[in-house]
Amino acid sequence: MLKKTVYALAALNRFLCYGSAFLTLFLMILIPADIFGRFFLHKSIVGTPAFARNALVGITFLALPWLTWEQKHLRSEVVMNHSKGVFKKILERTSSLIGVVIFAFYSIALYKPTMHSIEIGEMDVEGMTFIPISPFYIICWLACILATVSALKCLCAVGKNMDSDDSAKEQLSGFEI
């Protein structure tokens, strides 16, 4: 049962990351089309600046759970690559624990603004365009919850790796000689 839950969470995280990629692709088409319309046709696509401003936050948070799940965040590789043994394991466990705490606090902090935005029907107004803000809040809040779960999974994985011996496991990227 736990294994199926882990696979379902991984699939959901990957699906959200693909949603982030498709939203990025949509913006890559929308923004140049708006610029083309402004300069050559003297008409713009109504609401493009407001949508792009809010979609960038959504894009970031849609990809966040998958990045956390796969441990692909930027971190100090200089320190991690030069540390060995117990110190490296302590650094990995500490970074995973900090990720769990930060994402949990961020999830808690986003709850009230999300509910308030839903209650009042908050809109981003750009000229005559009214873009609802609550979907972006919901995306951010749910993505932070999933990122918390992903960071917790990474913390558990680091805990399991602390018990095993990793001296024989070296990762090569394929470009190393």
Side-chain angles (χ1 to χ4, degrees):
M1 179 71 176
L2 184 62
K3 205 176 239 188
K4 288 182 181 181
T5 305
V6 169
Y7 287 136
L9 282 173
L12 177 63
N13 288 341
R14 186 178 294 155
F15 176 75
L16 290 177
C17 194
Y18 287 145
S20 174
F22 287 127
L23 193 54
T24 303
L25 183 64
F26 178 71
L27 279 180
M28 287 173 57
I29 294 168
L30 179 68
I31 292 172
D34 183 53
I35 292 170
F36 178 81
R38 286 176 193 260
F39 284 112
F40 296 113
L41 305 176
H42 304 292
K43 297 262 185 189
S44 65
I45 300 173
V46 178
T48 299
F51 182 77
R53 181 174 52 241
N54 294 311
L56 287 175
V57 175
I59 288 169
T60 302
F61 278 92
L62 282 173
L64 185 63
W66 181 249
L67 291 173
T68 306
W69 188 271
E70 291 291 316
Q71 297 178 343
K72 299 293 183 186
H73 287 8
L74 294 176
R75 55 188 177 155
S76 179
E77 293 296 324
V78 173
V79 174
M80 294 300 283
N81 287 338
H82 287 64
S83 61
K84 293 183 171 111
V86 176
F87 182 65
K88 183 174 185 171
K89 291 178 182 182
I90 290 171
L91 284 176
E92 288 176 352
R93 178 168 263 181
T94 304
S95 67
S96 295
L97 183 62
I98 289 170
V100 170
V101 170
I102 287 175
F103 289 135
F105 282 152
Y106 203 55
S107 300
I108 293 167
L110 273 173
Y111 177 75
K112 280 187 180 179
T114 303
M115 293 304 140
H116 182 69
S117 175
I118 292 170
E119 286 174 5
I120 66 170
E122 187 176 1
M123 297 281 186
D124 188 0
V125 179
E126 182 82 29
M128 296 296 293
T129 306
F130 297 94
I131 297 176
I133 299 298
S134 56
F136 298 103
Y137 270 115
I138 292 168
I139 286 171
C140 294
W141 181 51
L142 292 177
C144 280
I145 292 171
L146 284 172
T148 304
V149 172
S150 298
L152 196 59
K153 173 246 173 202
C154 294
L155 182 62
C156 292
V158 168
K160 287 180 184 177
N161 288 343
M162 285 190 88
D163 299 332
S164 66
D165 181 28
D166 63 336
S167 60
K169 297 179 183 177
E170 292 255 349
Q171 292 183 346
L172 298 177
S173 66
F175 293 105
E176 298 178 25
I177 298 174

